[in-house]
Amino acid sequence: AANVVLRTAIAGIAAFLIGMTTGPFVVRALRPLPTHEVGEKTDSKNLAELSQGKRDTPTMGGVILLPSVGLAVVACGNLGNPHVLHALLGAVGFCLMWVVDDVVRLTRRRGAPDAAGAARSGISARGKMVLLFAVAASLSFALLTSMKARTADHELQQLLSVAVPFTSASIDLSAAGGLPFAIFCTLVMAATSNAVNLTDGLDGLAPGCIVMAEEALS
């Protein structure tokens, strides 16, 4: 346990240092590109005025965060543990999906408006949900497969059960080879990923909510 804590601390520090070191270079590289948000993210005039100083700041900060975290995990994580690989691949998959959405939205915005005269947006809502569920389903079935391979049959049923909050009861999702468990995981991952995307508007809003949720679960 102490080794895990130490490696986690080192990985966190390494990710922070990599991000701080590469961040200025990435921002300078993005400035000449069409990566700037033009429209305001709020209907509040006060918040819009406070955000004026950031209008020239490029969006797509994930291109700084994802490599930093990825390199730290590869260097300090136990890559022999499939759950570590699942978490890393999940972060890459979801991040790439939102990067594609940002690229499409930012490049289309400068093109001709649509038939209604409105500025074009990124990937359609239906397209986003298809990609979101595709990534989540892939991770869910990969998780289920690794759990089956690494867990004895008499313990698998317990692992594929979901505890009912505030009670001692649990729901067995191991039927049909664990298909209900995979579906449940897919819904949870798709919902939480979309929730973070919707919350990520103002600085620190999404990370702050994530920290509070983690504290509540711990």
Side-chain angles (χ1 to χ4, degrees), residues 118-170:
R120 296 178 180 178
S121 59
I123 303 173
S124 66
R126 183 176 299 177
K128 289 179 186 177
M129 295 308 294
V130 169
L131 291 175
L132 195 64
F133 275 94
V135 174
S138 299
L139 288 171
S140 297
F141 281 99
L143 175 63
L144 178 61
T145 301
S146 66
M147 291 174 67
K148 287 182 176 180
R150 292 164 56 93
T151 308
D153 292 339
H154 66 280
E155 297 177 347
L156 188 60
Q157 182 177 353
Q158 183 178 358
L159 286 178
L160 300 184
S161 299
V162 177
V164 179
F166 310 111
T167 70
S168 58
S170 62

Side-chain angles (χ1 to χ4, degrees), residues 58-147:
T59 185
M60 297 173 61
V63 297
I64 299 175
L65 298 178
L66 185 61
S68 303
V69 174
L71 289 173
V73 171
V74 170
C76 303
N78 178 14
L79 300 183
N81 186 335
H83 298 323
V84 175
L85 292 177
H86 294 157
L88 183 59
L89 292 175
V92 172
F94 286 121
C95 185
L96 287 179
M97 190 196 77
W98 296 120
V99 166
V100 171
D101 179 55
D102 279 344
V103 170
V104 172
R105 173 169 52 85
L106 292 169
T107 53
R108 279 185 175 180
R109 187 185 61 205
R110 285 160 174 75
D114 58 20
R120 296 178 180 178
S121 59
I123 303 173
S124 66
R126 183 176 299 177
K128 289 179 186 177
M129 295 308 294
V130 169
L131 291 175
L132 195 64
F133 275 94
V135 174
S138 299
L139 288 171
S140 297
F141 281 99
L143 175 63
L144 178 61
T145 301
S146 66
M147 291 174 67

Side-chain angles (χ1 to χ4, degrees), residues 3-45:
N3 185 34
V4 173
V5 172
L6 178 61
R7 287 193 297 172
T8 302
I10 294 174
I13 295 172
F16 175 78
L17 293 177
I18 294 172
M20 292 295 293
T21 302
T22 60
F25 299 99
V26 175
V27 171
R28 282 198 293 269
L30 290 175
R31 283 191 186 280
L33 303 177
T35 58
H36 306 274
E37 292 283 5
V38 174
E40 300 295 347
K41 289 187 176 181
T42 175
D43 293 328
S44 170
K45 293 183 178 180

